[in-house]
Every structure is written in structure tokens, then in C-alpha cells.
Amino acid sequence: MLKLTPATHARPPNRPPTIGLAIAGGGPLGAIYELGALQALEEAIDGVRMHDLDVYVGVSSGSFLSASLANRITTAQMSRIFMSAPEAEFQFQPDLFLRPAVREYFNRAMSVPGVVLDILTEVMRHPERIAHLESIESLSRLIPTGIFDNHSIDRFIAGVLSQPGRSNDFRHIGAVLRIVAVDLETGQAVRFGEPGLDHVPISSAVQASAALPGLYPPVEIDGHYYVDGALRRTLHASVALRAGADLLIGINPLVPYDAELDPTVPPDGRSSSRMIKGGLPVVLSQTFRSLIQSRMQVGMAKYQVDFPAAGILLVEPNRNDERMFFTNVFSYSSRNELADHAYRTTRAELLARADELEPFLETFELGLNRRLLETERSFVDSMNAEKSYLAPTGNSLARSLDLLERILRN
């Protein structure tokens, strides 16, 4: 599903357009969808390369993709890593991100004597409260703040960005990069990469942005604790717009499911019981997605008013996409099929909206490759169309050529 918000004011003449990319979260499933959508956009829009833009904003799982693209890692290279292709530069092991947070468990266990002592003291001072279980509230201090250890996220990304031609330092990359997290103590969004927060390693910022409460423990950076950036806003598109983006490409993988738009659902609606049969996880997923969608719609309307000279191209799954909704958001096993699904559905939407897209893109000196969109192609075909670089030296050379091309173009 594509949403186009054209600019209502012309940008200054004799200046090439500044193009930004904002990628939302959505867990492993969201990242896989985003890779498929990015690959489709990469080849369909003439004049755009997703690893050669001006501004990048990433939230939660989208922060890893944004950090990689800002380091001139192509979507095909990232896809090979995520899909565990034989020629991938790094071998991706999903279980690395699902290891128990042993340190957190140990720290909570060490606090047991103190908690028990506090409960006994409270009971002796106010025995009447035991009937109302008020003193039992202290037991909540024994519950870990996260199930899995997220230090592996920091280590993995630091390893990817340590290769020649890349940097784990916001100040040493050739594009504006902002990674958004939420300060646990204040509830405010924090944009790593901005002055004053650009000394934080990119990998640590991604770890903080992806620290979904309950799943991963909060991440401590400079004495502050941070959690998932999606808790404040879904896309944080305004960050890219304030950084000067004339055209913002946004990708949001989480939308609520609408059975009434699904042609496979009988008119009597009896199959809607599938939502109930799915239990609490499915109900919570629909609720969470509905909240996200509501915030997204409010934000998009506000951006139109606050940034009239900017155009926005938003890519989301279709509301009747049963496959995207009913697949476990933390699923890795079917990632190849899901990436292909996202790639094909995005291509189909681009082609269906071609008549609207072409004048929209022309405003930003871009074009639409209809011929390629009309050609039958799979996600694997698209990945294989880009030569894989098996050595860091090859990657460094490719990025140097990209930089030279940008200099000559400007």
C-alpha cells in the first residue's frame, strides 16, 4: 500500500533534492518486510539508490537497516546476510539474538534477600496490609526487565561496521544518520547522531532503539537507560524532514488487518473468529498495530502542514495482507518467502500506481522504471542482479566508486 503526499510548495531552484529514508520497527518480521520493500524501490525508482541517500532515520529493527544503508551497505548485501546466503559477508545466526539475559537474571536473584527483608519489615509494621497484598508489590522487583540478552545486537552490528570503508561513529559517515530511542526516566524520544549524542557508537544506539520492553532489558548509555524508540512514534519521519529532506521515503511494516478488505473472507464474516482463535498474541498484535496506524495518520496530516515543501512516499503492507499479519512477528524460519512476498507486493503496488507516481517523482528529478516493473522477477532474481562482494576490499572499492559518482553528479 502506497501513500503519496505531494509537496504543496516548490523547493528552492538550482538545488538538487535532498532525499531521506525513515524506517520503522516491527521485529524480525518487520525487518524482512522492509528488506523486500527496499529492494523493490531500489530497482523501480530511477535516480535513487537506497545506500546513497542524504538522510537516514531508523527506529527499533529499522535502525539496523538505516545504520547499514548510511554506511553504504546495499540492500542486496544486507539481504544476503539476513537470508544466510552462501556468499553473504557475515553469517547471520538468529539464535544469537534470542539468548537468555543471564546477567539480568543473576542480578535479580541477588536482590532476593533484600526484597524478602523489605516484605517482612512491611508486614511487621503494617500487618493489616497483607490482606490486600500491598506488601507483595515488592516482589515485582524480582521480575527481570527483559527475557533476552541484547548485547549480541551491539556486538554483531559493531562487527559489520568495523569493516574497511565503514564506521561505527556517527561523525565519520557520509550521510546524516539518526537512531531514535526513548529515555526510560523521562519518556522522551532521543535522537542518537545529533550533536551531543553523536559520540555514542552506532551499534550501541541501535541496541538501545531495539530494546523492546519485556523482550530486552533497557540499555544504559552515559548513565541513562533507553528503550525501544517506537514507544513514542512509529516512524519519526519529522526527524528526517527537519534535517532538510525534500523527499522522504518511509517504510512501516505494521498495519492492522482488515478482514472486510480480504476477498478470501466470506461475506458472513465467520472466518473473523480466526482473530479470536489466535488468542492473546493476535489480539495484542491487532491492538498495537491499530494504535500505530492511528499515530501514523495523525503524524502524516501534521507533516503536510509543517513541511509543505516536502513530499512523502510511504510504503506499508496492504490492510488485507493475511500473510503479513498472521505470521509471528519474531519468525525467522520463513524469512526467504516473506521477503519475496514483500518484494512482489511492493512491485505490484508501484506498477498499479505508476500514473500517479511518475509526476510525483518527476518533482524530485526521479523516474519510474515501468519496463522493469512489468517484468516477472523474484526477490532472489533482484539480489542476484547485483554482483556480490566477497571481500572487504571489494566493498571498500564499491563505496569509493559510489562516493566518486556522487561528487561528479553534484
Side-chain angles (χ1 to χ4, degrees):
M1 179 167 56
L2 299 182
K3 296 181 180 178
L4 303 179
T5 305
T8 56
H9 288 52
R11 72 174 187 276
N14 304 319
R15 178 176 68 79
T18 298
I19 302 177
L21 174 66
I23 311 180
L29 175 66
I32 292 164
Y33 169 84
E34 287 160 349
L35 280 173
L38 283 167
Q39 191 69 23
L41 292 167
E42 167 91 18
E43 63 183 24
I45 301 178
D46 291 332
V48 159
R49 289 187 299 181
M50 292 299 160
H51 63 286
D52 193 23
L53 304 182
D54 304 293
V55 182
Y56 295 91
V57 177
V59 184
S60 195
S61 59
S63 63
F64 170 70
L65 304 185
S66 295
S68 300
L69 290 168
N71 268 277
R72 311 307 179 199
I73 300 173
T74 69
T75 55
Q77 286 176 294
M78 282 194 291
S79 297
R80 293 187 186 102
I81 293 173
F82 266 85
M83 306 306 156
S84 300
E87 67 275 17
E89 184 181 350
F90 292 87
Q91 289 304 309
F92 179 69
Q93 298 176 315
D95 60 296
L96 287 177
F97 306 100
L98 300 175
R99 291 179 176 175
V102 176
R103 183 185 305 175
E104 173 69 8
Y105 299 161
F106 177 77
N107 290 338
R108 296 292 163 175
M110 291 296 290
S111 67
V112 169
V115 171
V116 172
L117 180 60
D118 289 345
I119 292 176
L120 292 175
T121 302
E122 184 70 12
V123 169
M124 286 187 291
R125 289 179 177 175
H126 307 283
E128 72 281 359
R129 294 184 181 178
I130 191 67
H132 303 288
L133 299 179
E134 291 183 29
S135 62
I136 308 302
E137 291 180 2
S138 299
L139 292 175
S140 63
R141 290 157 50 190
L142 301 178
I143 302 175
T145 56
I147 300 172
F148 302 116
D149 182 8
N150 51 5
H151 288 88
S152 55
I153 296 176
D154 189 352
R155 290 191 293 268
F156 178 78
I157 296 170
V160 172
L161 301 185
S162 67
Q163 299 302 304
R166 302 173 189 165
S167 177
N168 197 23
D169 191 322
F170 285 100
R171 298 162 295 189
H172 296 159
I173 56 178
V176 174
L177 172 63
R178 301 289 183 259
I179 303 297
V180 185
V182 169
D183 189 319
L184 186 61
E185 296 292 332
T186 66
Q188 298 300 311
V190 173
R191 296 167 292 276
F192 291 105
E194 288 187 346
L197 289 169
D198 53 0
H199 66 285
V200 176
I202 294 173
S203 57
S204 298
V206 172
Q207 179 192 2
S209 182
L212 182 64
L215 189 69
Y216 292 117
V219 176
E220 182 182 5
I221 299 175
D222 295 340
H224 292 260
Y225 287 89
Y226 298 96
V227 293
D228 197 311
L231 299 183
R232 284 286 298 181
R233 288 194 183 90
T234 308
L235 200 61
H236 289 273
S238 60
V239 177
L241 294 171
R242 288 194 181 96
D246 298 306
L247 169 62
L248 175 66
I249 301 171
I251 305 181
N252 170 43
L254 298 181
V255 297
Y257 176 69
D258 190 343
E260 293 184 356
L261 299 177
D262 192 339
T264 65
V265 174
D268 58 18
R270 283 178 295 179
S271 65
S272 63
S273 63
R274 180 176 180 182
M275 192 78 68
I276 298 300
K277 288 180 180 178
L280 181 61
V282 172
V283 172
L284 288 178
S285 177
Q286 180 75 335
T287 303
F288 180 65
R289 290 165 184 254
S290 297
L291 290 172
I292 283 178
Q293 191 70 7
S294 176
R295 291 192 305 182
M296 179 75 72
Q297 290 171 348
V298 171
M300 296 299 287
K302 192 171 185 295
Y303 301 150
Q304 238 177 329
V305 175
D306 293 347
F307 305 98
I312 302 175
L313 166 60
L314 178 63
V315 181
E316 296 178 316
N318 292 315
R319 292 283 301 274
N320 62 353
D321 194 332
E322 186 179 75
R323 188 169 186 178
M324 280 298 300
F325 180 81
F326 287 102
T327 299
N328 188 327
V329 71
F330 298 108
S331 172
Y332 285 102
S333 59
S334 56
R335 56 188 183 274
N336 292 334
E337 294 80 5
L338 285 171
D340 187 68
H341 174 70
Y343 171 78
R344 290 177 184 271
T345 54
T346 303
R347 277 169 50 89
E349 188 74 13
L350 289 168
L351 183 58
R353 303 282 297 278
D355 289 341
E356 297 174 69
L357 267 171
E358 284 180 331
F360 175 86
L361 293 173
E362 284 175 7
T363 306
F364 306 101
E365 304 173 12
L366 304 173
L368 188 69
N369 193 331
R370 282 194 188 230
R371 180 177 298 179
L372 191 145
L373 288 173
E374 290 168 351
T375 304
E376 177 64 24
R377 199 170 186 177
S378 70
F379 182 66
V380 173
D381 292 335
S382 181
M383 277 199 305
N384 290 340
E386 178 188 283
K387 183 178 179 180
S388 60
Y389 301 104
L390 302 180
T393 303
N395 279 301
S396 182
L397 176 60
R399 279 184 294 278
S400 298
L401 292 174
D402 285 342
L403 178 59
L404 177 61
E405 184 175 337
R406 293 185 78 197
I407 293 172
L408 294 174
R409 190 169 65 237
N410 294 332

